[in-house]
Amino acid sequence: MPRAHQVQQVDAVTDRRVVFLLDASSRVERRLLLDWITEHHAPSGIRWDAIPIPPSRRRRRRRTPRLDPRLEACLAADDDPLLTPLRVAWFTPKKKRGAVRSLGRLVLLGDPRDPGRARQWLASRTPDRFQVVAGDAATVTELRDRWVHNGGPGSSETTGLAEFVARQAALALERAERRLRGLRYKVPRFVGEDILSRPAFRGGIARLAHEVGKPEADVLREAQGYLKEIRATHSPYVIDLTAKLIHQLYTQGYGESLHYDRAQLARIYALAQRHPVVFLPSHKSNLDHLVLQYALHENGHPPNHTAGGINMNFFPVGPLIRRSGVFFIRRTFKDNPVYKFVLRHYIDYLIEKRFSLEWYIEGGRSRSGKLLPPRFGLLANVVDAYRRGKSEDVHLIPVAIAYDQIQDVGAYTAEQRGGAKQRENFGWFVNVVRGLRRRFGDIHIRFGEPVSLAAMLGPPDPHAEPQTESEEDEQTIAVQKLAFEVSVRINNVTPMTPTSLVALALLGRGDRALSVPETVVALGNLVTYIRRRKLPTTMEIDLDTEAGVQRALDTLVESGIVNRYAEGPEPVYAIAPDQHLTAAYYRNTIIHFFVNAAIAELALLRAGEDHVEDRRGTFWDEAMRLRDLLKFEFFFAEKDRFRVELADEIALHDPKWESALARGPAAIQSLVRSFRPFNAHRILRPFLQGYQVVGDTLERENPAVAIDQAKLLDRCLGVGKQYLLQRRISNAESVSKVLFEAALRLAKNRGLLEPGAPDLAERRKAFADEIRSAVRRADAVEALVAARVTRLIS
């Protein structure tokens, strides 16, 4: 039976003896390979032999696959033969080719690329179900040189060379088969063997053993254990299976299609062919990694090597996601030098081999809706690998994932009120799946402009000397700047949802219920502002129409966030009791777009107060003071750029705004009244009032007694609830553990938590006064809102 149309021919044409290395998992595959050799090579008259190597598939039946003794004899021969690996690649029937199999067929029939022996025999009856694949050929001399370069023993020895040759043959076949199937199944092979055999790794183990005072063999065993614990073990079958499971999971609660720009992914795909890429998504939901993985899969991307917390390594989730690309790392390991060493070499390997990586730049899920401060650990490892020349460049891909509504938000608000975080286990996983039984809208993925390490850090230097302490400090600063830049780019492409915009408008009106026409009015200036600035949205904004607002309100009523009262002349809507934190979560996903405008309002009000001599200087001093006060909440540009951004923001409302500063209080107040929309009362005041609770509580603490932060947080929650009952703070969203923790980080940064300083009481009072004065000006903005609503001002 002719099969010339089914094979990839051996490229090399030579008179030297050819040894075919047969990667066959069964007698059926061995027969097919020998048939191919007889039909396509034997007629050339060139001498040939066939030697089996340990099969790359179905190895679970043989725990310790043995090398054929003939391979070592071949490697010791004098004629330097050409070694050519062969494998049978299996396919689905041609009419189903290219389609991802249904979940049921994948589970019941298994991997079509790795059929059992009975199915192999049946498939071999149909020529289009298989194809013989030939990997790149190499002579024994070439392979021996490669082995020596990779750290093998002297070139005259063959012990260990046979294992190396078998591994190289399997890798060559993986590359050849990948050319047939596409990069979707680009997965690493022999990761552990490759890393453990590297001279740099073995030398590092020897140094570590000396440093920690342990036998080298013990440190090596420890390192092997950590590498096994960490590394992902990709399976093309599980990649397909997981993709189907992900689709079935997210469509329980969200729309069938994910919303993203395929052209953006095509550009990233092309970029990843030249350099390793690192996807750094925001983290709002347990579905974030899954939906990103599915989007990549359906566009032919290989699965990312994704860092997951070791807490997720529970059955059955852990084994499944490990085989689809997740590698697990411990939450803390700063005092474990062997673990750090192994993780560093694992990242080196992935960067060097141009595998795509992924982790959450925030570290964990945001409980407040805002993007959290970035974590630097893994990014520092990637930067270190790049600087040492593991790749000519690395591109960081900012990713924003937005949801019309988020399944997890109820648990987040409970944690903000002081509740404990639920531990990840099988029961937790079942609850996540059950929670997807109602509709939450759609999922939107946006990709920011990639950040090039070469452009940001300069070219790598593989021959650089070990870093000095000052150079390490510089690298730490560089890593922080990279993380900051990625975070800013994530924020810039985060799309606004109707849910987030309506939540923003309703929170700005306090506890007052609004009719649909009143909600349209409340959103009017906001919609105009978004269009003027061309801010990203999930859809064409129709919140300036009653129909568009009605749809958004109905969705919020269905989810229980908003109450509808229809007993009067017309229905009215208000945030439901105990749902202010939930509404604030959605508002906070887009809050960063309005922070500068809110700061401008408060700084202008400060400059417009009586008895201010240098109004321009006061304006900028107040703006920078607010920037510092809120630096643990928002991502601000560096100081010079921040001043430019603030000036541009005010110029949107009045291009000649600076002249108003010179004309005095009346002109400044008129300038503030020109702002559309007003922002400070609904953007900054909830944060400032949360900080006020911490400032007031800290002011009452004995300056001579050490602070127990956990107990202080509990006291702040109590004070916050009291202030809410007394209406000293506007609504419940300011009573938030997340806000109080950020305020305590600021207090610690200012040296207000350590006891003993003689002026500590005065500095704590000054801190509380600073917050209270900012809150008063935010209250003044709310008064302007009320005046505009009642038409006292235009």
Side-chain angles (χ1 to χ4, degrees):
M1 180 175 61
R3 298 196 187 96
H5 66 287
Q6 295 174 293
V7 302
Q8 176 182 318
Q9 299 283 5
V10 179
D11 294 331
V13 177
T14 178
D15 291 332
R16 75 172 73 228
R17 178 168 66 106
V18 177
V19 176
F20 292 100
L21 303 179
L22 307 185
D23 180 358
S25 67
S26 67
R27 292 179 181 178
V28 173
E29 290 190 346
R30 181 180 173 83
R31 176 180 58 79
L32 292 174
L33 295 176
L34 291 174
D35 286 350
W36 180 85
I37 295 171
T38 301
E39 183 174 351
H40 295 282
H41 179 78
S44 69
I46 299 172
R47 291 181 304 127
W48 63 275
D49 289 304
I51 300 175
I53 59 175
S56 58
R57 297 193 299 268
R58 302 267 150 190
R59 292 182 62 173
R60 59 187 176 274
R61 298 174 182 268
R62 183 184 291 176
R63 295 182 179 179
T64 56
R66 297 176 181 176
L67 287 170
D68 192 304
R70 290 177 293 167
L71 180 57
E72 290 197 5
C74 170
L75 298 176
D78 296 330
D79 60 343
D80 195 23
L82 186 71
L83 305 184
T84 302
L86 293 181
R87 172 192 292 174
V88 177
W90 298 98
F91 296 91
T92 54
K94 186 170 281 187
K95 62 181 180 180
K96 298 179 182 178
R97 193 77 52 84
V100 177
R101 292 191 133 197
S102 70
L103 179 60
R105 288 179 65 84
L106 281 171
V107 171
L108 293 175
L109 300 180
D111 188 358
R113 290 169 297 268
D114 186 13
R117 294 181 181 183
R119 291 174 60 214
Q120 286 180 2
W121 182 84
L122 291 171
S124 68
R125 305 298 93 193
T126 308
D128 72 352
R129 294 291 303 278
F130 69 91
Q131 181 166 332
V132 174
V133 177
D136 294 333
T139 65
V140 171
T141 298
E142 291 169 341
L143 287 165
R144 184 180 287 113
D145 290 343
R146 198 183 305 170
W147 175 60
V148 172
H149 177 74
N150 281 272
S155 59
S156 62
E157 302 176 19
T158 57
T159 303
L161 175 59
E163 289 85 352
F164 176 80
V165 168
R167 193 163 72 234
Q168 292 293 300
L171 292 172
L173 287 168
E174 288 289 326
R175 290 190 293 268
E177 190 169 341
R178 193 183 305 147
R179 288 192 286 267
L180 293 175
R181 299 188 188 277
L183 287 179
R184 174 181 284 168
Y185 304 105
K186 178 186 177 184
V187 298
R189 298 294 305 277
F190 309 110
V191 176
E193 296 91 330
D194 196 348
I195 292 175
L196 292 170
S197 66
R198 293 185 170 199
F201 187 90
R202 294 205 304 268
I205 289 293
R207 288 191 298 274
L208 268 177
H210 176 73
E211 291 172 6
V212 301
K214 293 182 179 179
E216 185 175 333
D218 290 351
V219 175
L220 179 59
R221 275 195 299 273
E222 186 180 352
Q224 289 172 327
Y226 290 147
L227 183 57
K228 183 178 180 180
E229 175 187 306
I230 292 170
R231 66 185 174 91
T233 53
H234 291 73
S235 160
Y237 167 60
V238 175
I239 289 169
D240 277 349
L241 181 64
T242 302
K244 298 303 296 183
L245 286 170
I246 291 171
H247 184 262
Q248 184 165 315
L249 180 65
Y250 83 74
T251 54
Q252 297 298 307
Y254 293 92
E256 179 78 16
S257 299
L258 302 173
H259 297 271
Y260 58 87
D261 186 346
R262 289 182 178 269
Q264 281 186 310
L265 271 184
R267 289 192 291 271
I268 294 171
Y269 184 95
L271 188 64
Q273 306 314 300
R274 303 191 302 274
H275 304 292
V277 298
V278 179
F279 290 85
L280 297 172
S282 58
H283 197 11
K284 300 291 191 295
S285 167
N286 288 305
L287 294 177
D288 291 333
H289 164 67
L290 301 180
V291 296
L292 177 58
Q293 179 175 337
Y294 188 81
L296 296 174
H297 185 82
E298 67 179 353
N299 283 271
H301 289 240
N304 294 334
H305 285 70
T306 304
I310 197 70
N311 57 303
M312 295 297 293
N313 190 21
F314 59 86
F315 183 83
V317 173
L320 187 67
I321 62 178
R322 185 190 291 274
R323 287 169 174 78
S324 65
V326 173
F327 64 93
F328 293 106
I329 57 175
R330 300 181 180 185
R331 292 195 177 275
T332 58
F333 48 85
K334 63 180 180 179
D335 297 324
N336 190 334
V338 180
Y339 188 94
K340 287 192 289 187
F341 173 81
V342 171
L343 180 60
R344 175 190 175 192
H345 278 265
Y346 185 66
I347 299 298
D348 279 0
Y349 174 88
L350 298 178
I351 293 296
E352 181 181 321
K353 301 298 183 181
R354 293 207 307 274
F355 288 110
S356 299
L357 281 82
E358 176 193 335
W359 67 82
Y360 298 118
I361 189 69
E362 303 166 87
R365 283 174 290 159
S366 171
R367 266 59 180 178
S368 66
K370 294 189 297 86
L371 196 65
L372 297 174
R375 301 290 183 89
F376 307 120
L378 280 175
L379 184 57
N381 281 327
V382 169
V383 168
D384 184 53
Y386 163 73
R387 286 188 181 276
R388 290 183 287 107
K390 298 301 178 181
S391 178
E392 294 179 351
D393 198 2
V394 179
H395 291 269
L396 311 179
I397 312 295
V399 185
I401 304 176
Y403 302 80
D404 287 341
Q405 293 189 61
I406 295 178
Q407 170 210 13
D408 316 70
V409 72
Y412 300 161
T413 56
E415 289 177 36
Q416 288 193 65
R417 294 190 179 103
K421 176 181 178 292
Q422 185 178 357
R423 181 183 177 186
E424 288 85 355
N425 52 32
F426 183 69
W428 165 86
F429 175 70
V430 170
N431 289 334
V432 169
V433 175
R434 285 176 176 170
L436 289 168
R437 289 179 177 173
R438 72 173 184 84
R439 306 307 295 176
F440 292 91
D442 288 321
I443 303 174
H444 313 268
I445 306 175
R446 299 291 186 270
F447 300 94
E449 189 67 24
V451 178
S452 162
L453 295 195
M456 295 285 286
L457 305 177
D461 186 1
H463 306 294
E465 296 294 327
Q467 291 184 329
T468 64
E469 187 173 335
S470 62
E471 287 172 333
E472 289 179 353
D473 291 342
E474 289 177 11
Q475 178 164 320
T476 299
I477 294 172
V479 169
Q480 292 173 356
K481 288 182 177 179
L482 282 169
F484 181 89
E485 182 62 28
V486 168
S487 299
V488 168
R489 295 189 189 194
I490 291 174
N491 272 340
N492 288 343
V493 297
T494 298
M496 301 183 181
T497 65
T499 300
S500 60
L501 290 169
V502 171
L504 174 60
L506 291 179
L507 285 169
R509 293 300 176 89
D511 292 327
R512 180 187 173 191
L514 302 178
S515 65
V516 170
E518 288 173 329
T519 308
V520 172
V521 172
L523 284 160
N525 286 333
L526 186 62
V527 170
T528 301
Y529 177 82
I530 291 168
R531 287 173 176 159
R532 287 179 67 191
R533 284 191 57 190
K534 300 179 180 179
L535 299 178
T537 56
T538 58
M539 55 185 288
E540 185 66 31
I541 297 179
D542 63 352
L543 295 178
D544 50 355
T545 68
E546 291 191 12
V549 168
Q550 185 69 68
R551 281 194 296 273
L553 287 170
D554 288 345
T555 299
L556 290 169
V557 169
E558 183 181 354
S559 64
I561 299 172
V562 167
N563 278 348
R564 180 178 185 267
Y565 180 79
E567 303 302 320
E570 60 179 338
V572 293
Y573 301 83
I575 295 172
D578 296 326
Q579 290 296 313
H580 286 83
L581 280 175
T582 305
Y585 185 97
Y586 290 114
R587 178 205 60 200
N588 290 349
T589 61
I590 62 171
I591 198 172
H592 52 277
F593 290 115
F594 308 98
V595 169
N596 282 355
I599 287 178
E601 293 166 13
L602 299 187
L604 285 170
L605 287 176
R606 173 70 182 93
E609 292 177 358
D610 294 335
H611 312 299
V612 174
E613 296 182 2
D614 179 6
R615 299 189 184 277
R616 180 185 176 86
T618 298
F619 166 78
W620 286 114
D621 287 345
E622 182 65 16
M624 300 310 289
R625 186 178 296 112
L626 289 167
R627 176 182 180 274
D628 184 74
L629 187 66
L630 297 165
K631 64 185 178 183
F632 290 106
E633 297 289 351
F634 305 106
F635 293 95
F636 293 109
E638 51 85 24
K639 291 182 179 180
D640 290 342
R641 180 62 193 165
F642 173 73
R643 292 168 69 96
V644 171
E645 290 178 356
L646 208 60
D648 290 343
E649 181 66 48
I650 304 174
L652 278 174
H653 308 283
D654 184 353
K656 300 180 180 179
W657 67 274
E658 290 184 277
S659 65
L661 289 174
R663 295 200 302 272
I668 294 172
Q669 291 165 15
S670 178
L671 171 61
V672 173
R673 289 195 297 271
S674 73
F675 276 53
R676 290 181 175 80
F678 289 126
N679 288 293
H681 65 299
R682 58 188 176 187
I683 299 299
L684 295 187
R685 187 171 63 171
F687 295 88
L688 294 171
Q689 289 185 335
Y691 278 40
Q692 180 184 348
V693 170
V694 174
D696 290 356
T697 304
L698 193 58
E699 186 181 9
R700 289 190 287 267
E701 294 291 309
N702 186 338
V705 176
I707 294 287
D708 183 322
Q709 291 194 41
K711 292 181 178 179
L712 183 62
L713 273 176
D714 289 339
R715 288 196 289 276
C716 287
L717 285 168
V719 171
K721 292 173 184 177
Q722 176 187 322
Y723 280 15
L724 184 62
L725 291 170
Q726 294 176 303
R727 308 306 298 165
R728 293 173 66 176
I729 57 178
S730 303
N731 61 55
E733 63 172 298
S734 296
V735 186
S736 163
K737 186 178 179 181
V738 173
L739 273 181
F740 298 158
E741 287 173 341
L744 283 176
R745 284 198 299 274
L746 177 65
K748 183 177 180 179
N749 179 258
R750 294 189 177 186
L752 300 178
L753 300 187
E754 292 297 325
D759 62 342
L760 184 58
E762 291 78 8
R763 287 192 292 114
R764 286 178 176 176
K765 181 180 184 304
F767 178 64
D769 286 342
E770 178 185 355
I771 298 168
R772 285 190 284 259
S773 64
V775 170
R776 283 195 295 272
R777 283 188 282 276
D779 291 340
V781 173
E782 185 180 47
L784 291 174
V785 172
R788 180 173 286 170
V789 169
T790 56
R791 301 185 184 279
L792 293 177
I793 63 173
S794 61

